[in-house]
Amino acid sequence: MLAIKKLNNNAVLCRDGQGRDVIAMGRGVGFGGEFPRELPLSKIEHTFYDIDPKGQDVMRDLPSEIVMFTAKVMDIVANELPYDLSTNATLFMADHLSFAVARAQKGVRIAMPLAYEVRETYPKEYKAAQFIVMRLEKELGERLPKDEIASIAMNLVNARVVEAVKATAEPAKQFDDMLEDVIEILESDFRIIVDRDSFDFTRFATHLRYLFKRIQAGESLNSANMQMYKNFREEFPQLAECVKHIGSYCRETWDATLSEEEELYLMIHLNRIISKKGL
Protein backbone atom coordinates (compact mmCIF):
# COMPACT_ATOMS: atom_id res chain seq x y z
CA MET A 1 0.00 0.00 0.00
CA LEU A 2 1.29 3.46 -0.88
CA ALA A 3 1.64 5.80 2.10
CA ILE A 4 1.28 9.38 0.91
CA LYS A 5 0.97 11.49 4.07
CA LYS A 6 1.80 11.19 7.76
CA LEU A 7 -1.04 12.01 10.16
CA ASN A 8 0.84 11.09 13.33
CA ASN A 9 3.40 8.52 14.45
CA ASN A 10 0.85 5.71 14.27
CA ALA A 11 -1.41 6.79 11.40
CA VAL A 12 -0.77 7.57 7.75
CA LEU A 13 -2.93 8.44 4.77
CA CYS A 14 -2.52 5.81 2.06
CA ARG A 15 -3.82 4.90 -1.39
CA ASP A 16 -4.83 1.32 -2.08
CA GLY A 17 -4.61 -0.68 -5.30
CA GLN A 18 -7.97 0.68 -6.51
CA GLY A 19 -6.85 4.29 -6.01
CA ARG A 20 -8.98 4.83 -2.92
CA ASP A 21 -7.76 6.91 0.00
CA VAL A 22 -7.50 4.99 3.25
CA ILE A 23 -6.09 5.76 6.69
CA ALA A 24 -3.80 2.99 7.91
CA MET A 25 -2.96 2.61 11.59
CA GLY A 26 -0.22 0.61 13.25
CA ARG A 27 2.57 1.08 15.73
CA GLY A 28 5.16 3.44 14.26
CA VAL A 29 3.80 3.48 10.69
CA GLY A 30 4.44 7.22 10.57
CA PHE A 31 8.17 6.64 10.85
CA GLY A 32 10.44 5.33 8.15
CA GLY A 33 11.37 7.95 5.61
CA GLU A 34 9.94 10.38 3.10
CA PHE A 35 6.50 10.22 1.54
CA PRO A 36 5.19 8.79 -0.70
CA ARG A 37 6.58 5.34 0.09
CA GLU A 38 5.43 1.75 0.22
CA LEU A 39 3.96 0.61 3.54
CA PRO A 40 4.20 -3.15 4.22
CA LEU A 41 0.78 -4.66 4.94
CA SER A 42 2.32 -6.50 7.88
CA LYS A 43 2.69 -3.19 9.73
CA ILE A 44 -0.98 -2.20 9.32
CA GLU A 45 -3.26 -3.06 12.24
CA HIS A 46 -6.41 -1.32 11.06
CA THR A 47 -7.70 0.66 8.10
CA PHE A 48 -10.35 3.38 7.77
CA TYR A 49 -12.01 4.17 4.47
CA ASP A 50 -14.14 7.19 3.49
CA ILE A 51 -12.67 9.55 6.10
CA ASP A 52 -12.87 13.10 4.80
CA PRO A 53 -10.14 15.75 5.41
CA LYS A 54 -12.02 17.03 8.46
CA GLY A 55 -12.03 13.54 9.92
CA GLN A 56 -8.35 13.13 9.12
CA ASP A 57 -7.58 16.25 11.15
CA VAL A 58 -9.56 14.86 14.10
CA MET A 59 -7.76 11.52 13.91
CA ARG A 60 -4.42 13.33 13.88
CA ASP A 61 -5.19 14.79 17.30
CA LEU A 62 -6.69 11.68 18.93
CA PRO A 63 -4.57 9.36 21.11
CA SER A 64 -3.60 6.40 18.96
CA GLU A 65 -4.37 3.87 21.70
CA ILE A 66 -7.93 5.19 21.94
CA VAL A 67 -8.42 4.99 18.17
CA MET A 68 -7.03 1.45 17.97
CA PHE A 69 -9.12 0.34 20.93
CA THR A 70 -12.25 1.92 19.46
CA ALA A 71 -11.71 0.32 16.06
CA LYS A 72 -11.46 -3.09 17.69
CA VAL A 73 -14.56 -2.83 19.88
CA MET A 74 -16.64 -1.15 17.16
CA ASP A 75 -15.99 -4.13 14.87
CA ILE A 76 -17.65 -6.28 17.53
CA VAL A 77 -20.42 -3.82 18.34
CA ALA A 78 -21.35 -3.41 14.66
CA ASN A 79 -22.17 -7.14 14.50
CA GLU A 80 -24.53 -6.82 17.47
CA LEU A 81 -26.65 -3.96 16.14
CA PRO A 82 -29.59 -4.50 13.74
CA TYR A 83 -28.52 -1.67 11.43
CA ASP A 84 -25.46 -0.31 9.64
CA LEU A 85 -23.24 2.32 11.20
CA SER A 86 -21.94 5.34 9.33
CA THR A 87 -18.42 5.27 7.94
CA ASN A 88 -17.42 7.86 10.57
CA ALA A 89 -18.88 5.86 13.48
CA THR A 90 -15.50 4.68 14.79
CA LEU A 91 -14.03 8.18 14.53
CA PHE A 92 -16.98 9.75 16.35
CA MET A 93 -16.81 7.11 19.07
CA ALA A 94 -13.03 7.49 19.47
CA ASP A 95 -13.46 11.24 19.89
CA HIS A 96 -16.27 10.67 22.40
CA LEU A 97 -14.22 8.19 24.44
CA SER A 98 -11.14 10.41 24.38
CA PHE A 99 -13.17 13.29 25.80
CA ALA A 100 -14.83 11.01 28.38
CA VAL A 101 -11.47 9.64 29.53
CA ALA A 102 -10.05 13.17 29.85
CA ARG A 103 -13.04 14.16 32.00
CA ALA A 104 -12.68 11.08 34.19
CA GLN A 105 -8.97 11.69 34.71
CA LYS A 106 -9.77 15.23 35.90
CA GLY A 107 -12.53 13.99 38.18
CA VAL A 108 -15.20 15.79 36.15
CA ARG A 109 -18.51 13.96 36.07
CA ILE A 110 -21.47 14.83 33.87
CA ALA A 111 -24.75 13.24 34.96
CA MET A 112 -27.01 11.74 32.30
CA PRO A 113 -30.51 12.45 33.64
CA LEU A 114 -32.16 10.42 30.88
CA ALA A 115 -30.05 7.29 31.48
CA TYR A 116 -33.05 5.15 32.43
CA GLU A 117 -34.96 6.24 29.32
CA VAL A 118 -31.95 5.49 27.12
CA ARG A 119 -31.59 2.01 28.62
CA GLU A 120 -35.28 1.24 28.11
CA THR A 121 -35.58 2.78 24.65
CA TYR A 122 -32.28 1.51 23.21
CA PRO A 123 -31.48 -1.76 25.03
CA LYS A 124 -29.13 -3.09 22.33
CA GLU A 125 -27.12 0.13 22.22
CA TYR A 126 -27.03 0.31 26.02
CA LYS A 127 -25.72 -3.27 26.22
CA ALA A 128 -23.07 -2.44 23.60
CA ALA A 129 -22.07 0.66 25.57
CA GLN A 130 -21.68 -1.43 28.72
CA PHE A 131 -19.36 -3.72 26.76
CA ILE A 132 -17.28 -0.75 25.54
CA VAL A 133 -16.91 0.68 29.06
CA MET A 134 -15.94 -2.74 30.45
CA ARG A 135 -13.32 -3.33 27.74
CA LEU A 136 -11.94 0.19 28.12
CA GLU A 137 -11.19 -0.44 31.78
CA LYS A 138 -9.75 -3.92 31.18
CA GLU A 139 -7.55 -3.05 28.19
CA LEU A 140 -6.53 0.55 28.83
CA GLY A 141 -7.10 0.83 32.59
CA GLU A 142 -9.48 3.78 32.13
CA ARG A 143 -12.55 3.60 34.33
CA LEU A 144 -15.55 5.70 33.33
CA PRO A 145 -18.49 6.70 35.53
CA LYS A 146 -21.65 4.65 35.04
CA ASP A 147 -23.41 7.71 33.63
CA GLU A 148 -21.16 7.53 30.57
CA ILE A 149 -22.85 4.29 29.46
CA ALA A 150 -26.01 6.10 28.36
CA SER A 151 -23.97 8.79 26.63
CA ILE A 152 -21.99 6.16 24.68
CA ALA A 153 -25.25 4.38 23.79
CA MET A 154 -26.61 7.60 22.32
CA ASN A 155 -23.41 8.00 20.32
CA LEU A 156 -24.21 4.65 18.69
CA VAL A 157 -27.80 5.69 18.03
CA ASN A 158 -26.58 8.86 16.32
CA ALA A 159 -24.15 6.85 14.18
CA ARG A 160 -26.74 4.60 12.59
CA VAL A 161 -27.47 4.81 8.89
CA VAL A 162 -31.19 5.23 8.34
CA GLU A 163 -33.25 5.34 5.18
CA ALA A 164 -34.64 8.68 4.16
CA VAL A 165 -38.23 9.21 5.26
CA LYS A 166 -40.82 11.67 4.01
CA ALA A 167 -41.34 14.63 6.31
CA THR A 168 -42.25 18.25 6.07
CA ALA A 169 -39.41 20.67 5.54
CA GLU A 170 -40.65 23.01 8.24
CA PRO A 171 -39.08 21.32 11.34
CA ALA A 172 -35.75 20.98 9.52
CA LYS A 173 -35.81 24.65 8.52
CA GLN A 174 -36.75 25.65 12.07
CA PHE A 175 -33.77 23.73 13.42
CA ASP A 176 -31.42 25.20 10.81
CA ASP A 177 -32.61 28.67 11.77
CA MET A 178 -32.08 27.95 15.47
CA LEU A 179 -28.59 26.55 14.87
CA GLU A 180 -27.53 29.55 12.82
CA ASP A 181 -29.04 32.02 15.31
CA VAL A 182 -27.20 30.41 18.23
CA ILE A 183 -23.89 30.37 16.34
CA GLU A 184 -24.36 34.03 15.43
CA ILE A 185 -24.77 34.82 19.14
CA LEU A 186 -21.50 32.99 19.85
CA GLU A 187 -19.70 34.81 17.01
CA SER A 188 -20.99 38.18 18.18
CA ASP A 189 -20.10 37.64 21.84
CA PHE A 190 -16.58 36.33 21.18
CA ARG A 191 -15.92 38.20 17.92
CA ILE A 192 -14.92 35.07 16.05
CA ILE A 193 -15.98 33.23 12.89
CA VAL A 194 -17.03 29.66 13.67
CA ASP A 195 -15.83 27.05 11.21
CA ARG A 196 -19.09 25.40 10.18
CA ASP A 197 -17.16 22.56 8.54
CA SER A 198 -15.31 21.65 11.72
CA PHE A 199 -15.79 18.45 13.69
CA ASP A 200 -16.59 20.43 16.86
CA PHE A 201 -19.35 22.31 15.01
CA THR A 202 -20.86 19.01 13.86
CA ARG A 203 -20.80 17.69 17.41
CA PHE A 204 -22.38 20.88 18.74
CA ALA A 205 -25.07 20.77 16.04
CA THR A 206 -25.96 17.25 17.17
CA HIS A 207 -26.30 18.42 20.77
CA LEU A 208 -28.42 21.40 19.73
CA ARG A 209 -30.70 19.12 17.72
CA TYR A 210 -31.56 17.24 20.94
CA LEU A 211 -32.20 20.56 22.67
CA PHE A 212 -34.44 21.61 19.77
CA LYS A 213 -36.44 18.37 20.03
CA ARG A 214 -36.92 18.87 23.79
CA ILE A 215 -38.10 22.43 23.20
CA GLN A 216 -40.56 21.18 20.59
CA ALA A 217 -41.81 18.52 23.02
CA GLY A 218 -41.94 20.91 25.98
CA GLU A 219 -39.39 18.82 27.88
CA SER A 220 -36.36 19.88 29.93
CA LEU A 221 -33.18 18.37 31.36
CA ASN A 222 -32.75 18.57 35.12
CA SER A 223 -30.31 16.83 37.45
CA ALA A 224 -28.04 17.40 40.44
CA ASN A 225 -25.12 19.06 38.65
CA MET A 226 -25.39 22.31 40.60
CA GLN A 227 -21.78 22.38 41.79
CA MET A 228 -20.35 21.73 38.34
CA TYR A 229 -22.68 24.36 36.89
CA LYS A 230 -21.48 26.89 39.46
CA ASN A 231 -17.81 26.01 38.88
CA PHE A 232 -18.16 26.35 35.12
CA ARG A 233 -19.82 29.75 35.41
CA GLU A 234 -17.06 30.99 37.71
CA GLU A 235 -14.24 29.63 35.53
CA PHE A 236 -15.71 30.83 32.22
CA PRO A 237 -17.71 34.02 32.94
CA GLN A 238 -17.72 35.20 29.32
CA LEU A 239 -18.99 31.83 28.17
CA ALA A 240 -21.68 31.89 30.86
CA GLU A 241 -22.76 35.32 29.63
CA CYS A 242 -22.96 34.00 26.07
CA VAL A 243 -25.17 31.10 27.18
CA LYS A 244 -27.32 33.63 29.05
CA HIS A 245 -27.85 35.42 25.73
CA ILE A 246 -28.74 32.09 24.09
CA GLY A 247 -31.24 31.49 26.90
CA SER A 248 -32.85 34.88 26.23
CA TYR A 249 -33.08 33.99 22.54
CA CYS A 250 -34.81 30.68 23.39
CA ARG A 251 -37.35 32.48 25.59
CA GLU A 252 -38.11 35.16 23.01
CA THR A 253 -38.14 32.94 19.93
CA TRP A 254 -39.28 29.56 21.21
CA ASP A 255 -41.02 30.44 24.48
CA ALA A 256 -38.69 27.98 26.22
CA THR A 257 -36.64 28.38 29.38
CA LEU A 258 -33.31 26.55 29.54
CA SER A 259 -32.60 24.63 32.73
CA GLU A 260 -29.22 24.99 34.45
CA GLU A 261 -28.39 21.48 33.23
CA GLU A 262 -29.00 22.52 29.63
CA GLU A 263 -26.97 25.69 30.12
CA LEU A 264 -24.14 23.58 31.49
CA TYR A 265 -24.16 21.30 28.44
CA LEU A 266 -24.18 24.33 26.15
CA MET A 267 -21.17 25.81 27.96
CA ILE A 268 -19.25 22.54 27.68
CA HIS A 269 -19.90 22.17 23.94
CA LEU A 270 -19.32 25.83 23.11
CA ASN A 271 -16.12 25.80 25.14
CA ARG A 272 -14.71 23.17 22.79
CA ILE A 273 -15.45 25.43 19.82
CA ILE A 274 -13.89 28.57 21.24
CA SER A 275 -10.91 26.73 22.74
CA LYS A 276 -9.82 25.88 19.17
CA LYS A 277 -9.66 29.64 18.62
CA GLY A 278 -7.23 30.02 21.52
CA LEU A 279 -9.79 31.81 23.71
Side-chain angles (χ1 to χ4, degrees):
M1 189 174 292
L2 183 66
I4 58 178
K5 181 181 179 182
K6 176 179 177 179
L7 298 180
N8 58 44
N9 292 339
N10 302 303
V12 293
L13 179 64
C14 297
R15 191 155 292 145
D16 67 10
Q18 285 72 48
R20 297 176 299 173
D21 286 349
V22 53
I23 293 178
M25 292 200 70
R27 302 296 177 186
V29 293
F31 294 110
E34 298 294 327
F35 291 87
R37 59 181 172 79
E38 283 298 320
L39 179 64
L41 295 179
S42 60
K43 291 188 175 182
I44 300 174
E45 299 178 37
H46 209 283
T47 56
F48 300 88
Y49 282 88
D50 301 317
I51 304 296
D52 58 21
K54 178 174 61 178
Q56 294 171 22
D57 289 339
V58 173
M59 183 169 284
R60 181 185 291 112
D61 296 332
L62 288 174
S64 297
E65 63 272 15
I66 290 288
V67 177
M68 295 298 297
F69 165 81
T70 306
K72 181 167 60 176
V73 295
M74 288 294 280
D75 282 345
I76 298 173
V77 165
N79 291 327
E80 296 293 320
L81 297 176
Y83 48 78
D84 293 330
L85 295 173
S86 72
T87 55
N88 284 326
T90 296
L91 180 61
F92 272 70
M93 182 60 73
D95 180 74
H96 182 100
L97 292 177
S98 178
F99 194 35
V101 167
R103 285 199 306 266
Q105 290 175 343
K106 296 176 182 177
V108 176
R109 181 176 180 178
I110 297 180
M112 183 73 173
L114 301 180
Y116 177 78
E117 287 83 353
V118 172
R119 185 176 62 187
E120 294 300 309
T121 305
Y122 304 106
K124 288 184 173 62
E125 290 83 354
Y126 195 88
K127 180 180 178 182
Q130 287 178 310
F131 167 76
I132 292 173
V133 170
M134 177 190 69
R135 297 304 303 180
L136 183 68
E137 181 176 3
K138 184 171 183 180
E139 296 188 23
L140 299 185
E142 300 290 353
R143 187 171 189 176
L144 299 182
K146 188 176 180 180
D147 289 334
E148 288 287 354
I149 296 175
S151 182
I152 293 171
M154 288 308 302
N155 185 286
L156 292 172
V157 172
N158 294 334
R160 62 185 173 182
V161 175
V162 295
E163 295 182 0
V165 295
K166 292 183 179 180
T168 63
E170 185 61 23
K173 183 180 185 307
Q174 288 179 337
F175 168 72
D176 289 342
D177 289 344
M178 180 185 188
L179 175 60
E180 188 58 31
D181 288 343
V182 169
I183 290 300
E184 285 180 5
I185 292 172
L186 176 66
E187 291 177 326
S188 176
D189 282 6
F190 284 89
R191 298 181 181 178
I192 60 173
I193 298 176
V194 173
D195 181 5
R196 287 156 175 77
D197 293 325
S198 70
F199 189 74
D200 289 311
F201 177 82
T202 301
R203 179 170 38 214
F204 173 71
T206 299
H207 169 78
L208 199 67
R209 186 178 297 277
Y210 286 121
L211 174 60
F212 175 72
K213 289 180 178 179
R214 289 195 296 272
I215 288 175
Q216 294 289 78
E219 300 172 349
S220 180
L221 281 182
N222 288 285
S223 71
N225 258 331
M226 293 297 296
Q227 187 58 50
M228 184 177 178
Y229 173 76
K230 179 181 178 181
N231 292 344
F232 228 90
R233 285 183 60 87
E234 292 177 351
E235 186 174 356
F236 304 103
Q238 189 178 2
L239 193 60
E241 187 68 16
C242 177
V243 170
K244 180 181 177 181
H245 294 159
I246 294 173
S248 297
Y249 159 80
C250 289
R251 283 193 301 274
E252 295 170 4
T253 307
W254 302 98
D255 193 27
T257 300
L258 299 183
S259 67
E260 292 180 346
E261 184 81 7
E262 286 164 335
E263 289 185 0
L264 173 62
Y265 282 162
L266 280 173
M267 284 191 285
I268 291 173
H269 282 278
L270 290 175
N271 185 53
R272 297 196 73 179
I273 292 177
I274 64 174
S275 64
K276 295 295 177 66
K277 296 286 187 177
L279 299 176

